[in-house]
Amino acid sequence: MPTLKRIVKEASGQDISRCQACLDCDVSCPEDIDIPIGSMVQMVMFDDEEVLSCRTLWSDCVLNKARLACSRGIDIHAVMLVLRQEAHQRDLV
Ligand code: SF4
């Protein structure tokens, strides 16, 4: 099975390895977040499947604010859509 990082790269063009774990990507959806967005991106980097079921990934509030959240230009909105699709394919939701 390809890694989550590769799946994201192929489906969205977003290169997760550019993430510096700076955690600048805060969005104001406090009730929807169990894992900070930056940590969610890092979980993809380390191919941690738990990311596919975290509350943050399934928050529409986060999704709607994620496109410009990364100071390094990673489109987290696009990344989240790929991860959601992957969760469905793995029958995790
Ligand atoms: S702002 Fe971008 S580079 Fe920094 S932790 Fe968030 S996703 Fe990674």
Side-chain angles (χ1 to χ4, degrees):
M1 186 183 294
T3 64
L4 289 172
K5 186 169 92 169
R6 185 166 158 201
I7 289 167
V8 165
K9 180 77 169 29
E10 289 182 354
S12 72
Q14 300 302 307
D15 185 0
I16 293 297
S17 55
R18 291 170 53 219
C19 176
Q20 299 295 302
C22 61
L23 301 185
D24 278 350
C25 47
D26 190 24
V27 294
S28 48
C29 307
E31 290 171 14
D32 283 16
I33 289 182
D34 55 351
I35 297 170
I37 300 178
S39 301
M40 184 175 72
V41 174
Q42 288 288 304
M43 288 172 80
V44 176
M45 179 107 89
F46 293 111
D47 200 32
D48 184 344
E49 193 180 65
E50 292 273 313
V51 71
L52 300 178
S53 52
C54 73
R55 189 147 33 103
T56 306
L57 176 61
W58 296 95
S59 162
D60 287 337
C61 175
V62 174
L63 184 70
N64 290 334
K65 296 180 178 179
R67 197 182 303 274
L68 300 176
C70 174
S71 55
R72 293 184 60 84
I74 299 171
D75 182 347
I76 298 173
H77 178 276
V79 172
M80 288 176 70
L81 290 180
V82 175
L83 294 176
R84 287 184 178 194
Q85 188 177 33
E86 186 62 19
H88 282 296
Q89 284 187 355
R90 297 186 187 190
D91 283 330
L92 296 175
V93 288

